[in-house]
Amino acid sequence: MPTLSKPTLPLELLRLIISDLQECYPALYALSLTSKILRGEVEHLLYGNMTSASEVAHATFLTTILHSRRCATLVHAYSQEGVPNQGKRQLWSLLCRGLKEMNNLKHLSLRATLLNGSAGSLSGCSFQLESFDCHGSHVEEEEMVTFLSTQRNLKQLNIEWHELWDNVAILPSACPALQLLCGNRGAIEAFLPGKLVTSLAWIPHPSDSIFSIDHLAPSFNHLRALSYGGSFKRPRLELIVGHLQSLEVLKVADPCSEAGVSFSARYRDEAYYKQIGAPPFAAHSQAPNLITFVPIFPEKVSSPNWPTSPKPVGNGDARHFL
C-alpha cells in the first residue's frame, strides 16, 4: 500500500502538477506536508522568488527563513516592490536579519525604503548578486560601497548616486561583470568608467550636472542600448550624441524638446518611428550602428520598471533592453 512519503506518480509528472499551483501558496504549503519528496519540490516554489506586495506575506516569509536555514538557502530573488513604506518600516528588522541568511540570493530589490538608521542591512551578507535595485534606498554610502566592492557577479545595477557621496571612492575593481546600469548622472560618473557596460538607462535627477561628458566618451562608446530620460527634464541630446559609436537602440524621452526639430502629428506616432527604424534628427549620422529608435512623449514618460525576475543582459541582441 503506497505511503504519503513515497508518491505513486513519477516525479516528472508531479513537477508539472506542482508548477500549475505556483501562484496558490496555501495549496503549495499543504502539498509540502504530504511527503518529504514533495516538500523538496514545493519549497523551491514557495521560497525561491519572494515578490509579494503584502506586508503580512513578507513577515511570514522572513520569519520562516529565520527559523529554517534550508528554506533560506532556496531564496534566489527578493523584492519589496509594492509594499507600502509604513510596511517596509515594520519589516526592516526582520529583513536585516533575513538577508544574512539568504546565502544563495541572486536578485535583490530594496527600492524607496525611506528609512532612518538603515545601516546594517547589507553588512555581513555573503550572497553574490546578479541584479541589485536600490534606487531610492537610503542605505549608508560607505556600507553601500563596501557591499558593491564584494559583488563580482553583478550584471545589473539600479542606483541613485548623490553628489554628497562624491567623497566616497568607488574602486575600479567593484562590480567587474556589470553590463546594465540604471541611474542618474552621479551613478553614471561613479560606476560607468572602466566597465564594459553595454546597456544604460540614464534617469535624470534635478541636481544632475549638465556639463560635458567627454571624459566618459570611452565608456559611452561601448553602449549598444541607451534609454535617455525619465520623470524630470533630461539634458539635451547634444550632450551625448557624439559618443554613441556602437549604439544600436536609442530610447529618448520627449524628442520634441530638441531645438530645430519640427514634429507633425505623423512624426509623433511611435509606430511610425519603429517602422522607419531611425530618428528624424542628426543622431543617426553620429550613431552609425543605430537600428531602433523609440520616442517617448511627455504623457508617456516614466521611470523604467525594474524587472522582478531580471532577464540576462549581453546576449548579443541589444533590442532586448527595451
Side-chain angles (χ1 to χ4, degrees):
M1 181 176 180
T3 64
L4 290 177
S5 62
K6 188 175 182 180
T8 56
L9 294 176
L11 188 57
E12 293 75 11
L13 184 56
L14 287 171
R15 285 172 177 163
L16 289 175
I17 296 172
I18 292 171
S19 65
D20 286 337
L21 299 172
Q22 59 183 333
E23 299 298 328
C24 185
Y25 294 107
L28 288 173
Y29 180 72
L31 274 176
S32 70
L33 301 178
T34 61
S35 78
K36 292 182 179 179
I37 294 178
L38 286 179
R39 183 178 68 181
E41 296 295 322
V42 168
E43 284 182 343
H44 279 87
L45 294 178
L46 282 173
Y47 301 104
N49 190 353
M50 181 52 176
T51 58
S52 172
S54 165
E55 176 190 345
V56 174
H58 278 276
T60 302
F61 177 88
L62 292 169
T63 300
T64 300
I65 68 169
L66 284 171
H67 287 88
S68 173
R69 181 164 294 181
R70 183 188 71 257
C71 293
T73 60
L74 297 176
V75 184
H76 280 196
Y78 185 87
S79 170
Q80 290 186 352
E81 187 77 14
V83 178
N85 287 329
Q86 182 60 35
K88 292 177 181 178
R89 291 185 178 92
Q90 297 295 331
L91 292 167
W92 188 250
S93 177
L94 274 176
L95 177 62
C96 290
R97 288 184 287 144
L99 286 174
K100 293 174 176 58
E101 301 298 325
M102 303 181 198
N103 297 332
N104 294 321
L105 192 66
K106 301 300 179 187
H107 308 291
L108 175 61
S109 174
L110 290 178
R111 296 189 69 174
T113 55
L114 302 176
L115 291 163
N116 295 320
S118 59
S121 59
L122 297 173
S123 60
C125 295
S126 60
F127 45 70
Q128 287 291 313
L129 296 177
E130 294 179 11
S131 70
F132 183 33
D133 178 5
C134 56
H135 194 91
S137 295
H138 289 212
V139 178
E140 295 292 333
E141 60 271 22
E142 291 186 4
E143 178 188 350
M144 180 66 74
V145 170
T146 300
F147 170 74
L148 289 174
S149 68
T150 68
Q151 297 303 299
R152 301 180 302 275
N153 301 326
L154 192 68
K155 297 180 178 67
Q156 301 183 0
L157 175 63
N158 183 0
I159 190 169
E160 190 172 276
W161 200 257
H162 305 285
E163 291 184 0
L164 296 176
W165 294 7
D166 286 346
N167 60 330
V168 182
I170 304 295
L171 295 177
S173 58
C175 310
L178 194 63
Q179 298 176 21
L180 187 156
L181 176 63
C182 179
N184 63 333
R185 173 152 180 170
I188 294 169
E189 296 271 5
F191 293 96
L192 196 63
K195 309 290 191 304
L196 294 178
V197 173
T198 55
S199 297
L200 173 66
W202 184 339
I203 304 176
H205 188 275
S207 64
D208 281 355
S209 167
I210 59 172
F211 296 115
S212 169
I213 62 163
D214 289 351
H215 59 293
L216 296 174
S219 298
F220 266 80
N221 281 325
H222 286 302
L223 296 179
R224 296 175 56 199
L226 171 64
S227 176
Y228 191 47
S231 300
F232 298 106
K233 183 178 179 181
R234 61 168 173 79
R236 305 190 68 77
L237 276 169
E238 286 85 348
L239 185 69
I240 62 170
V241 76
H243 308 300
L244 305 175
Q245 295 300 307
S246 301
L247 199 70
E248 298 177 12
V249 181
L250 176 61
K251 184 176 181 179
V252 177
D254 191 15
C256 295
S257 65
E258 296 302 315
V261 178
S262 176
F263 290 80
S264 65
R266 181 186 184 195
Y267 288 119
R268 287 179 60 85
D269 183 358
E270 182 175 333
Y272 174 77
Y273 284 119
K274 289 185 176 180
Q275 178 182 348
I276 64 174
F281 44 76
H284 204 196
S285 62
Q286 301 276 1
N289 295 313
L290 195 64
I291 298 172
T292 304
F293 171 73
V294 180
I296 309 174
F297 296 100
E299 63 273 14
K300 297 182 180 181
V301 172
S302 63
S303 299
N305 292 322
W306 197 252
T308 299
S309 299
K311 296 179 180 179
V313 293
N315 57 2
D317 189 351
R319 283 168 289 186
H320 288 167
F321 174 73
L322 297 177

